Amino acid sequence: MSDATLHAVQQDPDDFSVQIADQIESFIVAITEVAKGDEPDSAVPFLLLEFSQLMLAGGRLGAHEDILPDERYEPDLGPEPDVDELRERFAALLDPIDVYSEVFDPYEPRKAPVPSRISDDIAGVVTDLRHGMAHYRAGRITEALWWWQFSYFTSWGGVASATLRALQSLMAHVRLNQPLPALDGLDTDDDLSAEDDALAEEAGQVMAEEIAGPLGLRGA
């Protein structure tokens, strides 16, 4: 089933599955376009918008009753499409704010933040969404919805929400003219649990105007 036939086969545009598939497909297409780097000045605002819209689809999946696949075992989809180029493009496009600090589970007490990368997050989310889309295009609608719902809870939902929080924080730093802790020199292998202020100590200070131009951010 091609892109042009996602709305075909007499599918009701008000149908839950069609709406979710449309939202997910729109996200994948938009993210792929941003990765090309044709409009670097708009990269971060576009990502903020796209992840916000994706989380709406995730919220709808999360609030929906449990979706059970038609088959006991998931049909083999073959090898997953490579996302290394997508990851590398975003790593270059988002430098030097690719790395951010994340707390995986806010309900686990005294859980130390860990460094994550927006570029890795994007690649992981796209991989999960494409997996479900492959089922959808093959006509396995229930399987696609099950996968998107299941992986929303186990994988891409948490990653996408963390990415959205990082993007929102970045925009807030710039719009409010607040200094942004740089992440130069900080790697995802670093351990942030030793000291509460490890992120700030590892990073130098980068003023908002130093990243506003290249990343498409403008102060008030």
Side-chain angles (χ1 to χ4, degrees):
M1 188 178 296
S2 67
D3 293 350
T5 59
L6 285 179
H7 301 282
V9 295
Q10 299 180 343
Q11 292 190 27
D12 184 354
D14 293 327
D15 185 76
F16 178 77
S17 63
V18 175
Q19 293 177 356
I20 294 297
D22 281 350
Q23 288 180 283
I24 288 176
E25 183 184 38
S26 176
F27 174 83
I28 295 173
V29 170
I31 290 297
T32 303
E33 287 299 311
V34 174
K36 293 178 180 179
D38 295 337
E39 298 183 37
D41 290 351
S42 302
V44 170
F46 276 151
L47 288 175
L48 179 67
L49 177 61
E50 292 303 325
F51 271 92
S52 297
Q53 293 176 334
L54 177 65
M55 291 311 297
L56 174 59
R60 296 182 67 192
L61 285 164
H64 197 281
E65 62 184 6
D66 288 347
I67 300 169
L68 300 178
D70 295 328
E71 302 178 32
R72 181 176 180 182
Y73 299 104
E74 183 182 7
D76 183 15
L77 293 173
E80 298 283 357
D82 185 33
V83 293
D84 284 345
E85 182 179 358
L86 186 74
R87 179 187 293 106
E88 291 169 1
R89 283 180 176 272
F90 275 112
L93 189 62
L94 297 174
D95 184 66
I97 48 83
D98 190 24
V99 181
Y100 68 96
S101 178
E102 176 190 2
V103 176
F104 281 109
D105 190 341
Y107 283 98
E108 291 190 27
R110 296 179 297 279
K111 204 68 174 180
V114 296
S116 299
R117 292 184 183 275
I118 296 177
S119 56
D120 288 342
D121 292 351
I122 293 174
V125 169
V126 168
T127 296
D128 281 342
L129 298 181
R130 281 178 176 172
H131 187 91
M133 186 60 71
H135 285 303
Y136 189 86
R137 294 181 191 281
R140 295 187 290 270
I141 308 302
T142 304
E143 187 77 33
L145 290 174
W146 169 80
W147 170 259
W148 284 327
Q149 185 187 61
F150 172 76
S151 57
Y152 168 76
F153 286 120
T154 62
S155 181
W156 71 264
V159 172
S161 62
T163 305
L164 178 60
R165 179 71 183 94
L167 293 167
Q168 188 274 337
S169 178
L170 175 63
M171 293 287 286
H173 275 289
V174 173
R175 294 293 172 83
L176 300 177
N177 295 317
Q178 296 175 342
L180 184 70
L183 299 169
D184 296 332
L186 179 65
D187 199 356
T188 49
D189 291 331
D190 292 340
D191 182 9
L192 298 185
S193 61
E195 302 177 42
D196 292 339
D197 296 330
L199 185 62
E201 293 174 0
E202 292 265 1
Q205 292 294 316
V206 175
M207 296 305 293
E209 56 266 23
E210 293 180 316
I211 65 169
L215 297 180
L217 304 176
R218 297 290 184 269

